[in-house]
Structure formats: structure tokens, C-alpha cells
Amino acid sequence: MILHALTAIDFNDLHLNKVLLPIHLFGRDLFEIKWYSIAYIAGIVVGWMYLLRLLRAPGAPMAKRHAEDLVFYATLGIILGGRLGYVIFYAPTMFLHPLTIVRLWDGGMSFHGGVIGTSLGLILFARRHKLDWLRIHDYVACCVPFGLFFGRLANFVNGELWGRVADPNLPWAVIFHGTPNDVARHPSQLYEAGLEGIVLFAILWFAFWRTQARYEPGKLVGLFVGFYGLFRYTVEFFREPDSQYLTDPILGTPGLHMGQLLCLPMILSGAWLVWTAKGRRRRVTPIAGDEAVA
């Protein structure tokens, strides 16, 4: 403990608080505005603003007037899919107590479930407006890294989803109090913020603005899905498994996380989408009613 304290960062010394602002009225505690909630809102708002920027580039699959409706479908998919995905993949016992499923403020969201929910929402949106659902996925995929970045930072602020025990001499290791033995651990939340947020955004930015990827349906979303799966699979080696998998490993393989298992089909499907994208390329026609989309 003394060695760790001398070489690692004590989480308490960062003076982070998961609550941004407690709301009081008439001497009573009403509710708290938490950084995690702000992260979701920031990810959606910044992503929406970036989407509007993408739609100004030639070849957009939809008009600006569609953007607000799309954000509604996507947000609904994120919340419902993320929560149900968490329950199904990580905490199925919650089905025995259905009321706990709707208690979103208690935490528990799955990115993989959110992807499925968002994808279904975008397909419904595209069918309603008679748009190309795959190209819409391409554009939305370019915006998702903002939410991933803010979300992982919020995980760090909350002191949750911490990493495995780290070498005590690792200068950026963090002692998260409340963990077994309070030893120094990898700040895996920040690893994910960097890879899934910054690096993934850079890859998609380059593909969108410096190549013809936006004219090849499925290529951008394939890059997103494939690289996310690869990054998440890699970071899971530094992340502490969920408690239930410490004693009951997946497929009987110690060290294999549920997150890694769910990433394998993402990597494969992403590679397939990128590989087959050129065969889906066709002339992109303008969306009636908006400028600069042809």
C-alpha cells in the first residue's frame, strides 16, 4: 500500500465528484444532476451538431430537416437498447425484479445493447422517410465517438469500471477506493476514452473528409463497428471483469470478458461491410428541399 501510494495516483486526490449539482427545494433533497447524465446529453448534442456539418458535404443521404427526427429515434434506441442490453448481457437476474430495470438513475448501460437499439431506431426512421438506412448509419457512425468519449470520462469521474491491478511503478495507475485491497489499477476508462473516442473519431474523420468512403454505403459504419470492436477487445485485457465473471468465466475461459465476446461479431461484421462497400457504390442523388447535398 505504501509503495502504491508513492508511485500511483490516489483517486481521492483528484477531488472528483460524480454529482455535478444537487438540487434542493424547501430544505429537501429533490434530485442530483450527475456527470454521467451530462455525458449522455453532451454526446447527443455535439453529435447532432457534427451531423449537421456532415450533411453540408456533397452526397448526404438525407436533408437537414430530417436531423431532429433522427436524433429522437437514435436517443430512444440508445436508452432502451443500452438498458435492455445491460440487463440481458450482464444482469439477467433483474428480470426477477422488473421495476429495477426502469431505474436508470442507478446506472447500468450496455454499449453493445445501445448499438442494437440505435440501429433498429435508425432503420425505422429510414423506412418512415423512405431513405437509405445503410447510408444513414454511415453518417451517424461518424458522430458516435463523441458520446463514447464523454461517457468514458464520466465512468472515470464516477470511479467505476476500473481496470485490472497495475504495476505499482506505472505512473498513471490510479488507486480507486472501494476496490479489492485498494491497490493501484489501470485507468481503463481513460484508455477507452482515448481509443473509442479520439482515435476512432480521427479514423472516421479522415475516411469521410479525405476519401470517397461516404459514397460507398456501409464503409463508414463498417470502419466504426470494426475498429470499435478491436479497440474494446484490446482494452478489456486491462479492465477488471464484471464480478459475476470472476467466479464463472465465459465459456470456461478465465480472463475472457463478456465485452470481448460481444466484440467478436462486431469485428467480423465491420470487416465484411468495409470489404463489400465498393460493390454497393452508386450515384448519390440530391435530397429534395435542401441545398448542397448533391
Side-chain angles (χ1 to χ4, degrees), residues 14-286:
L14 300 177
H15 303 291
L16 300 175
N17 192 329
K18 67 176 64 177
V19 178
L20 171 62
L21 181 66
I23 304 299
H24 307 282
L25 187 63
F26 303 122
R28 300 184 61 181
D29 297 333
L30 295 182
F31 59 91
E32 298 173 330
I33 299 177
K34 298 182 178 180
W35 281 110
Y36 199 70
S37 301
I38 297 299
Y40 265 86
I41 295 171
I44 293 170
V45 172
V46 177
W48 174 57
M49 294 172 62
Y50 186 57
L51 175 63
L52 295 178
R53 175 67 185 89
L54 298 179
L55 293 179
R56 292 202 296 269
M62 61 182 177
K64 294 178 183 178
R65 66 180 184 273
H66 295 128
E68 291 185 8
D69 200 18
L70 180 146
V71 170
F72 170 77
Y73 279 86
T75 302
L76 198 61
I78 291 170
I79 296 174
L80 295 180
R83 185 59 170 177
L84 289 177
Y86 174 79
V87 175
I88 294 171
F89 299 140
Y90 298 96
T93 56
M94 292 179 68
F95 282 117
L96 300 176
H97 308 281
L99 290 180
T100 62
I101 297 176
V102 300
R103 294 175 61 89
L104 299 178
W105 52 89
D106 289 337
M109 297 287 280
S110 162
F111 172 79
H112 298 90
V115 166
I116 296 172
T118 302
S119 184
L120 291 175
L122 295 182
I123 291 173
L124 291 174
F125 163 81
R127 291 188 61 181
R128 177 184 175 187
H129 293 282
K130 296 180 173 58
L131 300 172
D132 187 329
W133 66 271
L134 187 54
R135 296 198 66 233
I136 289 173
H137 275 70
D138 282 333
Y139 276 63
V140 172
C142 293
C143 306
V144 176
F146 293 109
L148 293 174
F149 177 74
F150 293 132
R152 294 310 180 191
L153 290 184
N155 290 148
F156 182 76
V157 171
N158 288 351
E160 61 190 7
L161 305 182
W162 17 265
R164 294 178 183 271
V165 175
D167 186 320
N169 295 315
L170 189 68
W172 59 83
V174 178
I175 301 173
F176 295 97
H177 295 281
T179 63
N181 301 320
D182 283 351
V183 294
R185 295 178 176 273
H186 287 281
S188 56
Q189 315 96 320
L190 300 184
Y191 298 170
E192 291 187 89
L195 289 174
E196 301 166 10
I198 298 173
V199 177
L200 187 52
F201 172 79
I203 292 171
L204 293 169
W205 181 92
F206 181 85
F208 186 94
W209 295 106
R210 293 292 183 265
T211 75
Q212 297 293 305
R214 65 178 181 269
Y215 297 108
E216 300 173 12
K219 192 166 190 177
L220 290 168
V221 71
L223 288 171
F224 169 79
V225 169
F227 275 105
Y228 174 86
L230 181 62
F231 292 154
R232 175 70 181 270
Y233 189 92
T234 302
V235 172
E236 289 287 341
F237 286 111
F238 300 93
R239 181 173 165 179
E240 186 77 1
D242 294 272
S243 58
Q244 63 267 42
Y245 300 122
L246 289 172
T247 56
D248 186 18
I250 298 173
L251 302 180
T253 306
L256 181 63
H257 297 200
M258 174 60 77
Q260 288 177 307
L261 186 64
L262 295 174
C263 282
L264 294 178
M266 296 185 73
I267 296 172
L268 295 175
S269 61
W272 179 82
L273 283 168
V274 172
W275 181 262
T276 58
K278 284 188 177 180
R280 290 186 292 271
R281 179 165 182 163
R282 58 187 180 276
R283 182 177 181 274
V284 178
T285 56

